Amino acid sequence: MKDWLENIQKTLAGKLTLAFVGLISLVMLGMTLTLIFTVGYGSTLAWAVGMSSLAMLLASATFYAFVTRITEPLRDLTDFAQQTNLKRLAVRLDVRSGDELEILARALNRMMQRLDASMKRIQQLAFVDTITELPNRDRFRQETDEAAKSNAVNNLVGAVISIDVDKFIRVQETLGQIAGEELLGLVAERLSAAVRASDRIVRLQTCIARPALLARTGISEFAVLIPDIDDPTQAGRFAQLVAAGLRQHFELGGHRIVLGACAGIAIFPQDGETGEEVLRSAELALSHARNGGRNRSVFFTRKMNQRALEKLVLENEIRAGIEQGQFMAYFQPKVDLGTGRIHGCEALVRWNHPTQGMVSPTKFIAAAEETGLIAPLGDYIMRDAAKKAAGWLRRGIALRVAVNVSAMQFNDDNFTAKVQNILAETGLPASLFELEITESIAMSNPDRVIRLLEPLRNKGVRIAIDDFGTGHSNLAALTRMPFDVFKIDQSFIRALGKDRSAPAMIETIIAMAGGLNYETVAEGVESQEQAAFLKKRGATLGQGYLFGSPMSADAFEAHARNWAARADGMAPTQLPDGLRRPS
Ligand code: C2E
Ligand code: MG
Ligand code: MG
């Protein structure tokens, strides 16, 4: 019985049932009274009606009391839901109804407490770098933004120093990710101490209201916000002191690691009005410091912005140029040093710029590589060159065409299929196609080179290693690679007659190529003496202004026909020195 009563008290269903039963019984009581009074005592009908109304009223009051006990907590719950909807996670429910609503309220309070704590943790993680526990880039940008705004109001000057840890990436590649993270932690500690010390040394005389803030802003990049400085030289001294802190060696897992640091400095408000702008200026200065060598610090200048802008304009122009077909392949002959015949050619990209005329690749290849545009551009030139060579073939000139491949084109896993498609589409036989790959690309990932090039070579495409002698070839890897040709870099040919070691270097490369059964192409042949020397030493082909500069496809076709006709009718003395009349 006691349990039953408690059940009624502590459950919503119990309360509602009780309310309902109470209401019905009161209504019935009222009706019974009404009946007794109307039937038994007809004269007192009014009195009977009054009594039953009173009973009804009583019933309604009881029902209302019960219902409000239920609805009050429900109203609290609704309020609570609305508050949490407005992200007020600190809100708590105070329900003491003793039933399931109270249990539900307590559960909701516990849930909100946990949610509140999680949200605080998420917010912390969003603004803190998890490896070094320093503020991250977003937080740094926000703080700089606020400092810039308050400086603008108070007429103060501040600085941002962007710091790159030299050699960090190389250490991480050698020792692995975990050691890399450990090293970053040590670097962060060192930098924090250096920032605190620099704050004291450099800004001792200034009344420092706001201390400097250190953050991790990139993989190996950190930044320091100095909210107020007396003059920019203070920021320069600050950068030097902080960078000097990094120059002392680190001990990690028994290794002695020597790092270094470059710094870029931006002053605000002059170098940027928002946190984003100031940080970008400091980073632009940093990239100039890095290009200038190790352990340098450079202040941002307007000119840097100008150069960055020019780069951007160049990038947009290249993009538009590709779409509008302003790029084309030019062709430079390669001559067989034994027979004097044109043996093939190299396709070299040219840009027919709408205002600047024909532009050399040295002016835009670097920008195209940096922006990734070299991939579509290189593919376009590859197709253009194959199309032109297939046209010559149809008109009776069978010459092999070589195209240059950039590192980015080579990163594409579809590279092999793409080359095969180009040959199929243009109808150029694989035996008349050659790919030139620089020594540095070849050596950066020998296994990938073998995987991507071997199927093409098996179909008859020839593979040349370009600018040979300028990279750091690993001889063991070199012999495993699917190459057919060494292109001797033009610096060796240019050095002939000037540098005493040049002939020996060229002879060594030719001998090595001979040993591996490779062809050799000497690049940059400009004089008959150079051609004669190369022929005597056994170089297979020569390429250079002596035999023809890069020219358009039509000009090259005419040059090739003319060369063959001239060579046939020429006296041996008229041929470039040392070259035999073609048989
Ligand atoms: P590279 O592949 O080593 O091409 C040889 C460069 O030497 C060409 O410069 C050519 O014009 C130049 N040259 C030829 N004969 C002589 C000579 O007798 N004396 C001198 N001083 N130079 C000579 P170019 O056309 O300016 O191309 C420069 C570089 O740009 C190329 O070097 C190549 O690395 C790159 N390049 C050119 N076209 C393409 C392309 O379609 N794709 C890619 N990825 N790179 C290209
Ligand atoms: Mg080349
Ligand atoms: Mg070359």
Side-chain angles (χ1 to χ4, degrees):
M1 182 68 180
K2 194 171 158 241
D3 283 355
W4 184 79
L5 271 174
E6 260 184 18
N7 211 22
I8 287 201
Q9 245 183 348
K10 289 187 180 168
T11 64
L12 254 179
K15 283 179 185 169
L16 278 171
T17 315
L18 202 65
F20 187 68
V21 168
L23 175 72
I24 295 291
S25 36
L26 282 170
V27 169
M28 283 183 59
L29 179 70
M31 280 172 64
T32 316
L33 284 173
T34 313
L35 268 174
I36 291 171
F37 287 126
T38 15
V39 176
Y41 309 91
S43 58
T44 53
L45 183 66
W47 191 77
V49 170
M51 279 297 286
S52 50
S53 305
L54 192 68
M56 289 290 219
L57 210 67
L58 251 165
S60 309
T62 319
F63 184 73
Y64 179 77
F66 271 112
V67 168
T68 41
R69 282 211 64 186
I70 297 160
T71 52
E72 240 170 51
L74 284 176
R75 213 178 31 239
D76 287 349
L77 273 169
T78 314
D79 278 354
F80 174 83
Q82 277 165 349
Q83 296 283 330
T84 52
N85 217 12
L86 296 170
K87 296 194 183 125
R88 293 188 188 131
L89 302 183
V91 66
R92 296 288 175 269
L93 268 170
D94 184 21
V95 175
R96 287 167 210 277
S97 56
D99 53 26
E100 296 105 316
L101 286 177
E102 189 175 330
I103 298 171
L104 175 68
R106 268 193 257 127
L108 283 174
N109 282 342
R110 273 198 303 277
M111 190 182 85
M112 290 315 292
Q113 226 165 353
R114 280 197 208 120
L115 198 61
D116 199 13
S118 304
M119 287 305 286
K120 282 184 182 138
R121 176 87 186 122
I122 288 170
Q123 274 213 321
Q124 193 200 9
L125 288 178
F127 288 104
V128 172
D129 169 53
T130 45
I131 296 174
T132 59
E133 301 206 338
L134 288 174
N136 66 8
R137 193 184 174 86
D138 283 341
R139 160 101 192 277
F140 186 83
R141 226 177 11 210
Q142 271 186 10
E143 295 282 338
T144 311
D145 222 25
E146 273 163 33
K149 274 186 203 135
S150 101
N151 280 14
V153 174
N154 301 313
N155 211 9
L156 287 171
V157 174
V160 162
I161 307 172
S162 182
I163 299 163
D164 185 36
V165 183
D166 283 345
K167 295 193 278 189
F168 169 75
I169 305 285
R170 197 147 16 112
V171 172
Q172 189 173 36
E173 275 168 8
T174 316
L175 299 181
Q177 173 94 7
I178 294 173
E181 288 183 4
E182 214 177 305
L183 181 59
L184 270 181
L186 296 176
V187 167
E189 269 173 35
R190 185 78 65 81
L191 279 175
S192 303
V195 165
R196 279 196 303 275
S198 310
D199 232 354
R200 278 198 306 275
I201 299 167
V202 178
R203 301 203 295 159
L204 199 63
Q205 297 86 350
T206 337
C207 67
I208 309 166
R210 298 165 291 171
L213 174 83
L214 173 70
R216 181 169 173 227
T217 48
I219 296 173
S220 61
E221 282 176 24
F222 293 82
V224 184
L225 164 68
I226 314 173
D228 40 65
I229 48 171
D230 283 345
D231 70 292
T233 54
Q234 272 190 336
R237 278 194 65 209
F238 205 110
Q240 274 168 5
L241 286 169
V242 171
L246 274 195
R247 252 168 259 142
Q248 286 148 27
H249 77 275
F250 290 85
E251 293 283 349
L252 185 73
H255 298 281
R256 189 185 156 91
I257 294 166
V258 181
L259 301 170
C262 281
I265 307 160
I267 306 295
F268 57 90
Q270 71 184 48
D271 298 338
E273 283 170 13
T274 63
E276 179 63 39
E277 281 173 12
V278 184
L279 188 56
R280 210 175 41 216
S281 298
E283 286 178 338
L284 203 53
L286 174 65
S287 74
H288 280 256
R290 257 190 309 234
N291 291 343
R294 295 235 169 94
N295 295 328
R296 275 165 42 96
S297 46
V298 169
F299 274 90
F300 170 82
T301 63
R302 294 260 154 227
K303 239 190 186 160
M304 289 176 187
N305 243 349
Q306 182 61 26
R307 245 176 281 164
L309 203 69
E310 280 166 11
K311 236 182 183 170
L312 193 72
V313 170
L314 182 61
E315 181 190 334
N316 289 336
E317 283 191 344
I318 295 175
R319 215 180 286 277
I322 295 175
E323 277 164 20
Q324 291 163 19
Q326 293 166 8
F327 290 92
M328 66 194 72
Y330 261 38
F331 301 89
Q332 186 176 33
K334 289 180 192 170
V335 168
D336 185 320
L337 292 169
T339 65
R341 283 184 178 279
I342 290 184
H343 179 272
C345 58
E346 176 176 7
L348 294 156
V349 61
R350 291 293 180 271
W351 184 3
N352 191 6
H353 192 278
T355 56
Q356 294 171 32
M358 213 48 95
V359 184
S360 140
T362 47
K363 301 247 166 61
F364 61 84
I365 285 278
E369 266 167 359
E370 262 175 53
T371 52
L373 287 169
I374 190 73
L377 183 59
D379 292 349
Y380 178 83
I381 293 299
M382 201 187 280
R383 181 169 278 108
D384 191 33
K387 206 159 66 187
K388 299 285 167 49
W392 301 329
L393 182 64
R394 283 196 298 276
R395 293 188 288 278
I397 302 174
L399 290 177
R400 187 188 299 143
V401 66
V403 294
N404 292 284
V405 180
S406 70
M408 201 159 281
Q409 281 172 284
F410 214 69
N411 277 343
D412 182 357
D413 286 333
N414 274 334
F415 178 78
T416 313
K418 210 179 256 175
V419 175
Q420 282 168 341
N421 284 345
I422 287 178
L423 293 177
E425 274 168 34
T426 56
L428 184 71
S431 59
L432 290 183
F433 199 60
E434 187 168 296
L435 295 171
E436 290 191 10
I437 286 151
T438 60
E439 201 180 345
S440 47
I441 300 180
M443 288 305 138
S444 66
N445 191 346
D447 291 332
R448 184 175 176 83
V449 172
I450 294 171
R451 185 159 51 81
L452 293 185
L453 294 183
E454 199 121 66
L456 294 172
R457 190 164 177 259
N458 291 340
K459 291 236 154 58
V461 173
R462 291 172 60 96
I463 314 291
I465 182 157
D466 203 357
D467 304 340
F468 188 72
T470 55
H472 305 278
S473 282
N474 166 342
L475 289 184
L478 205 62
T479 51
R480 281 198 299 132
M481 304 258 218
F483 293 133
D484 305 281
V485 183
F486 275 168
K487 291 195 79 182
I488 309 169
D489 190 65
Q490 47 183 280
S491 56
F492 295 105
I493 317 298
R494 211 178 302 130
L496 279 174
K498 293 178 196 142
D499 182 343
R500 278 197 303 151
S501 59
M505 305 259 255
I506 294 173
E507 280 165 21
T508 309
I509 297 175
I510 294 173
M512 194 158 74
L516 292 166
N517 220 8
Y518 292 172
E519 223 176 50
T520 39
V521 180
E523 295 186 299
V525 183
E526 292 183 357
S527 72
Q528 299 196 344
E529 291 74 33
Q530 290 168 344
F533 173 84
L534 291 160
K535 178 179 186 277
K536 206 159 142 202
R537 299 293 175 231
T540 330
L541 305 176
Q543 177 184 347
Y545 297 157
L546 179 67
F547 310 114
S549 303
M551 54 195 105
S552 70
D554 289 345
F556 179 77
E557 189 176 341
H559 181 75
R561 285 187 200 284
N562 194 23
W563 181 277
R566 252 192 332 133
D568 280 343
M570 248 190 251
T573 46
Q574 290 172 292
L575 284 168
D577 194 22
L579 296 187
R580 213 160 27 83
R581 187 183 347 188
S583 49

